[in-house]
Each structure stands twice: as structure tokens, then as C-alpha cells.
């Protein structure tokens, strides 16, 4: 039987997303959720997640999604705010600076530390895993900051790392670097298919987990769509979120897992 880590990485980005993720965790339909502690909603949404985490115990992984770029997140550290004010830089800007080795290293180190501290302070627990928003851990400079921040945090139990790479040369290189620091990396699998048709998604899920390694992380973006989410996100993404929410909470989803010999880790 194959174990799959089915998870979402955007808790605290929107109320409709958060409601869906908490519900799916409690029902055993998700096995991992990453919290965006740099979001404006985190200070309001951490408490319900804390309660859910206590209820699910070891049945699910609750981690942190570090954000160094993108919308709906704000710098947590004073150093990052001094440089970028109240908005994070764009993914493109961070990638370009990382490629040219022009990242302000002390700023990004301070931000990584601040976000990890914010998670442990609010949740009163260490993160089970760490991911980086928008795939930025593909850049070695960002990966180094993440690994160094974990070491500085001195966690009793090292968190797992969500790989930004599907299996291949880059993934193996990241695994070697992480192993030297005593960190386990969860392989990246294909995200849930992006379709707004629930019947189409059910059909695609029958083959979606074929050939994946044990413990592979499969990303999803379910949400209970509300008016606020419709205003904040493109119509196409909202429809995909709604479709995934409908499918993941259905009995047919569990039947598909049983028939394909998969269980959620």
C-alpha cells in the first residue's frame, strides 16, 4: 500500500480556504497543511488551527509555509520591513537576485527566523514540516537560508522539508544537502489536476498517484468559496478550488484511494 502526503500550503490566505482546510483535516481527507504566518489573517486564524491540530494529533502534519514573495503576505521581521516596507517583493525579483547572488542575505535570514518564531509562538508547537511559497526553494540561496534558520531554531525534532523538485537531478542534490543537516525531504508529486469539473477530477484521480514514491507530497488548493475569495482571486482559480473541495469531501474520493491502494499518510 502506498502512502501519499496530500496537503495544502496556503492556510491563512483567506477565510474560505481556512474553513475548508480545517474541515478536511478533521475528516482525515488531508494529511498536511502549511500555515502562511506572514499573512494578515494569521493572527486571527491561528487559534482555530491550533484546536484542530490538537484534535488530529499525529494523524496529520501541521507546518509552516515560509513566504519571501507574493501577494497577501507582509514582512514579519523588522529587517524585511525596512527594505520592502509593507509588501513582499515579487517572485521574479527574488529569483533574479538569487541567480545573481545579490540577495540581501541578512534580511532574508532575519525573515526566515521571524516566520519560524511566529509559528512556534502562536501555535505553541514546532512545525512538522517547512515549505517555501511560490517554489522559491528551487534557488540554492533560499534553500540555504531555510536550512540555516532551522538550525538556528534548535527544534527538538527537525521538521521535514517539502521538495520543490519532482524526482530527478535537482531533487537528489537537495536531498543530499538536507541529509547532511539531518533533515528529511518529502518528494514532490504532481499537484491535483486543475479542472473545474468534479467528474473530470474524479476520473483523473484514478491514475494520478500511479508511480509516485512513498510519502510523496501532492499539493492541492481546496476552498469553501465565498464572496471575498471571488473578489481576491481569478475566476478560474476559484472554480478549481471549489471543485477540489467538492471532490475531496466526497465518499467517492475515499473509494478511489481504496481502489488504487493508496492511503493518506
Amino acid at each position: 500500500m502506498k502512502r501519499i502526503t496530500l496537503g495544502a500550503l496556503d492556510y491563512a490566505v483567506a477565510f474560505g480556504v481556512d474553513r475548508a482546510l480545517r474541515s478536511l483535516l478533521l475528516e482525515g481527507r488531508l494529511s498536511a497543511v502549511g500555515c502562511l504566518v506572514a499573512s494578515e489573517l494569521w493572527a486571527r486564524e491561528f487559534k482555530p488551527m491550533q484546536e484542530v491540530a490538537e484534535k488530529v494529533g499525529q494523524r496529520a502534519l501541521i507546518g509552516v509555509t515560509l513566504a519571501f514573495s507574493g501577494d497577501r503576505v507582509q514582512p514579519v521581521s523588522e529587517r524585511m520591513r525596512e527594505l520592502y516596507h509593507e509588501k513582499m517583493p515579487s517572485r521574479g525579483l527574488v529569483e533574479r537576485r538569487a541567480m545573481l547572488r545579490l540577495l540581501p542575505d541578512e534580511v532574508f535570514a532575519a525573515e526566515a527566523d521571524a516566520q519560524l518564531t511566529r509559528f512556534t509562538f502562536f501555535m505553541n508547537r514546532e512545525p512538522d514540516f517547512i515549505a517555501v511559497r511560490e517554489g522559491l526553494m528551487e534557488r540554492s540561496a533560499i534553500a540555504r537560508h531555510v536550512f540555516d534558520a532551522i538550525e538556528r531554531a534548535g527544534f527538538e525534532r527537525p521538521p521535514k522539508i517539502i521538495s520543490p523538485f519532482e524526482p530527478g537531478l535537482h531533487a537528489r542534490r537537495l536531498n543530499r544537502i538536507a541529509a547532511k543537516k539531518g533533515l528529511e525531504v518529502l518528494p514532490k508529486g504532481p499537484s491535483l489536476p486543475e479542472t473545474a469539473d468534479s467528474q473530470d477530477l474524479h476520473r483523473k484521480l484514478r491514475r494520478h498517484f500511479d508511480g509516485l514514491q512513498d510519502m510523496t507530497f501532492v499539493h492541492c488548493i481546496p476552498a469553501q468559496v465565498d464572496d471575498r475569495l471571488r473578489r481576491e482571486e481569478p475566476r478560474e482559480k476559484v472554480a478549481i478550488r471549489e471543485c477540489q473541495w467538492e471532490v475531496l469531501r466526497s465518499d467517492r474520493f475515499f473509494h478511489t484511494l481504496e481502489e488504487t491502494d493508496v492511503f493518506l499518510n
Side-chain angles (χ1 to χ4, degrees), residues 137-138 140 163-178 185 187-188 213:
M137 203 185 289
E138 291 179 357
S140 59
S163 177
F165 302 111
E166 294 194 8
L169 178 63
H170 295 299
R172 291 193 294 272
R173 181 175 180 274
L174 180 70
N175 291 348
R176 288 195 299 269
I177 296 172
V185 179
K188 177 187 176 182
Q213 301 176 38

Coordinates of all heavy atoms in Angstrom, one line a residue, residues 137-138 140 163-178 185 187-188 213:
M137 N 12.3 27.6 -3.0 CA 13.3 26.8 -2.5 C 14.1 26.1 -3.7 O 15.1 25.5 -3.4 CB 12.8 25.7 -1.5 CG 13.9 25.2 -0.6 SD 13.5 23.9 0.5 CE 12.4 24.8 1.6
E138 N 13.6 26.3 -4.9 CA 14.4 25.8 -6.0 C 15.7 26.6 -6.1 O 16.7 26.0 -6.7 CB 13.6 26.0 -7.3 CG 12.4 25.2 -7.5 CD 11.7 25.4 -8.8 OE1 12.1 26.4 -9.5 OE2 10.7 24.7 -9.1
S140 N 19.1 27.8 -4.7 CA 20.0 27.3 -3.6 C 20.2 28.3 -2.5 O 20.3 27.9 -1.3 CB 21.4 26.9 -4.2 OG 22.0 28.0 -4.9
S163 N 9.9 19.2 -0.9 CA 10.8 19.5 -2.0 C 10.1 20.3 -3.1 O 8.9 20.1 -3.3 CB 11.3 18.2 -2.6 OG 12.0 18.4 -3.8
P164 N 10.8 21.3 -3.7 CA 10.2 22.0 -4.8 C 10.4 21.3 -6.1 O 9.9 21.7 -7.2 CB 10.9 23.3 -4.8 CG 12.3 22.9 -4.3 CD 12.1 21.8 -3.3
F165 N 11.1 20.2 -6.1 CA 11.5 19.5 -7.3 C 10.8 18.1 -7.4 O 10.8 17.4 -6.4 CB 13.0 19.2 -7.4 CG 13.9 20.5 -7.3 CD1 14.6 20.7 -6.1 CD2 13.9 21.4 -8.3 CE1 15.4 21.8 -6.0 CE2 14.7 22.5 -8.2 CZ 15.5 22.7 -7.1
E166 N 10.3 17.8 -8.6 CA 9.9 16.5 -8.9 C 11.2 15.6 -9.0 O 12.3 16.1 -9.2 CB 9.0 16.4 -10.1 CG 7.7 17.1 -9.9 CD 6.7 16.8 -10.9 OE1 6.9 16.0 -11.8 OE2 5.6 17.5 -10.9
P167 N 11.0 14.3 -8.8 CA 12.2 13.4 -8.8 C 13.1 13.6 -10.0 O 12.7 13.8 -11.2 CB 11.6 12.0 -8.9 CG 10.3 12.1 -8.2 CD 9.8 13.5 -8.6
G168 N 14.4 13.7 -9.7 CA 15.4 14.0 -10.8 C 16.7 14.5 -10.2 O 16.9 14.4 -9.0
L169 N 17.6 15.1 -11.0 CA 18.9 15.5 -10.6 C 18.8 16.6 -9.5 O 19.5 16.5 -8.5 CB 19.7 16.0 -11.8 CG 21.1 16.6 -11.5 CD1 22.0 15.5 -10.9 CD2 21.7 17.2 -12.8
H170 N 18.0 17.6 -9.7 CA 17.9 18.7 -8.7 C 17.3 18.2 -7.4 O 17.8 18.6 -6.3 CB 17.0 19.8 -9.3 CG 17.6 20.5 -10.5 ND1 18.8 21.2 -10.4 CD2 17.1 20.6 -11.7 CE1 19.0 21.7 -11.6 NE2 18.0 21.3 -12.4
A171 N 16.4 17.3 -7.4 CA 15.8 16.7 -6.2 C 16.9 15.9 -5.4 O 17.0 16.0 -4.2 CB 14.6 15.8 -6.5
R172 N 17.7 15.1 -6.1 CA 18.7 14.4 -5.5 C 19.7 15.3 -4.8 O 20.2 15.0 -3.7 CB 19.4 13.4 -6.5 CG 18.5 12.3 -6.9 CD 19.2 11.2 -7.6 NE 19.8 11.7 -8.9 CZ 19.2 11.6 -10.1 NH1 18.0 11.2 -10.2 NH2 19.9 12.0 -11.2
R173 N 20.1 16.3 -5.5 CA 21.0 17.3 -4.9 C 20.5 17.9 -3.6 O 21.2 18.0 -2.6 CB 21.4 18.4 -5.9 CG 22.4 19.4 -5.4 CD 22.8 20.4 -6.5 NE 23.8 21.3 -6.1 CZ 23.4 22.5 -5.4 NH1 22.2 22.8 -5.2 NH2 24.4 23.3 -5.0
L174 N 19.2 18.3 -3.7 CA 18.6 18.9 -2.5 C 18.6 17.9 -1.3 O 18.9 18.2 -0.2 CB 17.2 19.4 -2.8 CG 16.5 20.0 -1.6 CD1 17.1 21.4 -1.2 CD2 15.0 20.3 -1.9
N175 N 18.3 16.6 -1.7 CA 18.2 15.6 -0.7 C 19.5 15.4 0.0 O 19.6 15.2 1.2 CB 17.7 14.3 -1.3 CG 16.3 14.3 -1.7 OD1 15.5 15.2 -1.4 ND2 15.8 13.3 -2.5
R176 N 20.6 15.4 -0.8 CA 22.0 15.2 -0.2 C 22.3 16.4 0.8 O 22.8 16.1 1.8 CB 23.0 15.2 -1.3 CG 23.0 13.9 -2.1 CD 24.2 13.7 -2.9 NE 24.4 14.8 -3.9 CZ 24.0 14.7 -5.2 NH1 23.3 13.7 -5.6 NH2 24.2 15.8 -6.0
I177 N 22.0 17.6 0.4 CA 22.3 18.7 1.2 C 21.5 18.6 2.5 O 22.0 18.9 3.6 CB 22.0 20.0 0.5 CG1 22.9 20.2 -0.7 CG2 22.1 21.2 1.4 CD1 22.5 21.4 -1.6
A178 N 20.2 18.3 2.4 CA 19.3 18.2 3.6 C 19.8 17.1 4.5 O 19.8 17.2 5.7 CB 17.9 17.9 3.1
V185 N 13.5 15.0 3.4 CA 12.8 15.7 2.3 C 11.7 14.8 1.8 O 11.9 13.7 1.5 CB 13.8 16.1 1.2 CG1 13.0 16.8 0.1 CG2 14.9 16.9 1.7
P187 N 9.3 13.9 -1.2 CA 9.4 14.2 -2.7 C 8.1 14.9 -3.1 O 7.1 14.8 -2.5 CB 9.4 12.7 -3.2 CG 9.6 11.8 -2.1 CD 9.2 12.5 -0.8
K188 N 8.3 15.7 -4.2 CA 7.2 16.4 -4.8 C 6.6 15.6 -5.9 O 7.2 15.1 -6.8 CB 7.7 17.7 -5.4 CG 6.6 18.6 -6.1 CD 7.2 19.8 -6.8 CE 6.1 20.5 -7.6 NZ 6.7 21.7 -8.3
Q213 N 6.6 7.9 -5.5 CA 7.3 7.4 -4.4 C 6.5 7.4 -3.1 O 5.6 8.2 -3.0 CB 8.6 8.1 -4.1 CG 9.6 8.2 -5.3 CD 10.8 9.1 -5.0 OE1 11.3 9.1 -3.9 NE2 11.2 9.8 -6.0

